[in-house]
Amino acid sequence: MKKTVTLTNNINNLSYDFKILSSGIGPDAIDFQKLYAQTGMFAYDPGFTSTASCKSKITFIDGEKGKLLYRGYKIDDLAQKKSYLDVCFLFLEGVLPTDEQREEFDIELRRRSFVHEGIKNLFDAFPDKAHPMAMISSAVSALSTFYFEHLNINSEAEYKTMAKRIIAKIPTLAAFSHRRSFGLPLIYPDLNRSYTENFLYMIRAYPSQNLYIPDVEVKALDTIFTLHADHEQNASTSIVRGVASTGAHPYAAISAGIDALWGRAHGGANEAVMTQLELIGTIDNIDKFIKRAKDPGDNFRLMGFGHRVYKNFDPRAVILKNLLNELKDELDVDDNLLNIAQKIEDIALTDDYFISRKLYPNIDFYSGLILTALKIPRSMFTIIFVIGRSIGWITQWIELKHDKDMKIARPRQLYIGDTDKQI
Ligand code: ACO
């Protein structure tokens, strides 16, 4: 039976039927595409809290249950048993790789990790102390001036080559951004190292140094990349899709996604969490900050808490907390800040303010502690998110290109300004 919902306008007593689209696993959606044509009215939904902007087969979140699936696989299983490259392959191909496919994919990404020398020179133009996020956003945008054959692509094979090019080069651009911000010589990728190890090598090594990177550090960062790989229609992904919907090329779309991610309410939160933990400084100060977070007259927020979709534990935060506890002796974790973080979590989970608003730790609450233990500078935290999320952005870009319902992203507004003014 075709499911519909009826909307009744109690001013003119007219009723309108709208189709209900089934999800199968998540909430169904009312098909409001003809809302304006039928009723002459728009839907008002600031921040799109109740709006599904597309159909997607990539990532599923059940915010009430704290569940996250990538292409149908539980995030916990992928984080424990698979590598970030497996997850990239899964996103692009829809299936996990065989051993042979993994090897081929890995080799191809290593080969594609180098960038044109012109891109490298671009970093000389940035001023000292430029933020790495600003540099990587510009560098990704500049890829379009070097790899312009991807500006007008049409075939599946071309999409996938472009996707591999992006995910392979982003760690190199990320490492260049970091090194430039400290005035360090840029380090080329090392073909003998895996994706994640290579990134740690490029940010840490001196030229010609055969630097050893412990496996435990590679595994920790690889898990962080996996946990950030995609998160359905979050702010930056929606921006990527929005830019792509105009027909702009993927480098422009991803550069815009990077800019959107930079904000403190989104990917910038991991940097803010560490600054806040340091500001709190001791266990004795926690109550004072919790009080501020609860005060409606104070715009202070507990960073790393709350999420638009998760109204339960963010499963990624749970994985990171476990990882932190597992690795804290092997990695150089700051015990004082870890204790403060755990105490804040304990208080928040039993405090009415946080319980009633369903505010739980999100992925950013614990990731900063791990990144600090990996000796990754704070200005690079959001860039780590960029590297992990690059596969999600590009996979969503490809999905949008195949979507027959795709239209230019062009919302309407409820005009409440002046009218009939005279000059
Ligand atoms: N600390 C204190 N109170 C909070 C917090 C917080 N971190 N987050 C939300 N609240 C309160 C709000 O004040 C509001 O209270 P009210 O109902 O009394 O007005 C209520 O909870 C709902 O908050 P909204 O801002 O309406 O929730 P929204 O879904 O729009 O925002 C967001 C989600 C932006 C993540 C928010 O919780 C926040 O600012 N958190 C801190 C920043 C952060 O950690 N961002 C990372 C998000 S995860 C990611 O992007 C990877």
Side-chain angles (χ1 to χ4, degrees):
M1 193 185 74
K2 203 167 111 185
K3 292 195 285 181
T4 58
V5 70
T6 304
L7 193 72
T8 304
N9 180 339
N10 64 11
I11 298 172
N12 58 17
N13 281 325
L14 290 175
S15 292
Y16 312 91
D17 286 339
F18 294 96
K19 242 186 335 186
I20 296 179
L21 306 172
S22 288
S23 149
I25 173 167
D28 292 341
I30 304 170
D31 185 348
F32 268 156
Q33 289 183 89
K34 299 267 180 322
L35 179 71
Y36 177 58
Q38 284 183 240
T39 68
M41 286 186 282
F42 299 136
Y44 178 63
D45 183 18
F48 312 116
T49 55
S50 299
T51 299
S53 62
C54 61
K55 294 178 185 163
S56 182
K57 293 182 177 173
I58 303 169
T59 294
F60 172 73
I61 307 173
D62 184 335
E64 297 301 325
K65 294 196 181 122
K67 187 172 168 185
L68 171 62
L69 307 177
Y70 290 164
R71 297 260 189 227
Y73 291 101
K74 286 195 197 71
I75 188 68
D76 314 56
D77 288 344
L78 291 169
Q80 269 171 33
K81 299 176 192 156
K82 297 290 167 190
S83 69
Y84 176 67
L85 279 205
D86 289 330
V87 168
C88 290
F89 189 95
L90 172 68
F91 276 129
L92 289 179
E93 304 294 338
V95 292
L96 284 164
T98 60
D99 290 346
E100 202 179 312
Q101 286 169 325
R102 179 183 305 110
E103 198 184 330
E104 224 175 85
F105 189 58
D106 183 9
I107 291 171
E108 181 171 357
L109 292 194
R110 288 181 200 217
R111 269 199 298 109
R112 291 190 183 279
S113 61
F114 291 83
V115 294
H116 190 289
E117 285 293 298
I119 287 269
K120 191 172 139 273
N121 297 339
L122 183 71
F123 284 83
D124 290 337
F126 295 126
D128 292 345
K129 307 280 176 222
H131 196 288
M133 281 295 281
M135 287 191 262
I136 196 169
S137 162
S138 312
V140 169
S141 185
L143 286 177
S144 62
T145 64
F146 292 88
Y147 304 100
F148 42 81
E149 69 271 31
H150 285 154
L151 301 192
N152 196 8
I153 55 179
N154 295 308
S155 78
E156 185 73 33
E158 282 174 303
Y159 288 153
K160 286 193 177 149
T161 302
M162 178 270 303
K164 284 183 268 191
R165 179 170 274 165
I166 283 187
I167 54 177
K169 292 187 189 324
I170 278 191
T172 310
L173 298 177
F176 283 4
S177 304
H178 160 66
R179 302 205 57 112
R180 178 66 192 97
S181 69
F182 283 88
L184 298 166
L186 307 187
I187 301 284
Y188 287 109
D190 177 350
L191 282 172
N192 297 313
R193 297 181 193 254
S194 69
Y195 187 89
T196 301
E197 184 190 343
N198 204 5
F199 172 69
L200 284 171
Y201 162 76
M202 287 188 286
I203 61 170
R204 289 182 184 173
Y206 287 98
S208 335
Q209 184 188 14
N210 187 15
L211 187 74
Y212 168 69
I213 316 265
D215 285 350
V216 63
E217 300 194 10
V218 175
K219 171 65 191 152
L221 186 59
D222 200 75
T223 305
I224 289 183
F225 287 157
T226 292
L227 297 181
H228 286 89
D230 193 54
H231 216 223
E232 53 122 297
Q233 306 313 314
N234 59 86
S236 52
T237 301
S238 297
I239 296 297
V240 169
R241 279 187 177 253
V243 174
S245 78
T246 69
H249 54 77
Y251 303 116
I254 288 179
S255 170
I258 292 172
D259 293 334
L261 189 74
W262 197 359
R264 275 163 64 90
H266 194 10
N270 53 13
E271 210 176 315
V273 169
M274 289 304 289
T275 308
Q276 198 169 85
L277 289 176
E278 281 177 358
L279 187 71
I280 297 172
T282 66
I283 298 266
D284 297 342
N285 273 336
I286 294 177
D287 284 345
K288 199 169 70 193
F289 283 90
I290 297 268
K291 212 165 145 201
R292 284 191 65 191
K294 289 161 45 172
D295 179 357
D298 189 335
N299 62 11
F300 175 86
R301 284 196 167 193
L302 217 46
M303 299 313 286
F305 263 79
H307 197 277
R308 172 60 61 79
V309 182
Y310 291 118
K311 301 303 167 198
N312 199 325
F313 280 95
D314 176 340
R316 303 166 302 171
V318 178
I319 294 168
L320 282 185
K321 185 180 173 186
N322 291 339
L323 186 71
L324 197 53
N325 283 322
E326 252 173 60
L327 301 181
K328 72 173 187 288
D329 296 330
E330 291 179 78
L331 296 180
D332 188 15
V333 176
D334 185 324
D335 284 336
N336 178 44
L337 296 188
L338 177 58
N339 288 339
I340 295 174
Q342 282 185 335
K343 183 81 181 156
I344 291 174
E345 180 180 332
D346 293 344
I347 294 174
L349 294 180
T350 53
D351 186 303
D352 240 20
Y353 175 92
F354 294 90
I355 295 171
S356 61
R357 288 167 181 76
K358 300 185 176 170
L359 301 172
Y360 292 84
N362 59 49
I363 186 169
D364 293 320
F365 193 60
Y366 287 108
S367 63
L369 284 163
I370 301 185
L371 295 176
T372 305
L374 292 174
K375 297 178 188 58
I376 292 175
R378 201 159 303 171
S379 56
M380 286 293 285
F381 283 10
T382 314
I383 286 223
I384 299 296
F385 198 151
V386 168
I387 299 174
R389 187 54 58 84
S390 57
I391 183 63
W393 286 328
I394 202 61
T395 309
Q396 298 268 355
W397 187 94
I398 293 173
E399 190 176 67
L400 173 125
K401 287 288 169 194
H402 289 274
D403 186 352
K404 298 211 165 32
D405 289 344
M406 199 280 285
K407 289 188 167 55
I408 183 169
R410 200 325 184 170
R412 301 303 302 267
Q413 63 172 14
L414 184 65
Y415 180 71
I416 55 167
D418 294 332
T419 53
D420 295 333
K421 275 187 159 173
Q422 305 296 321
I423 302 290

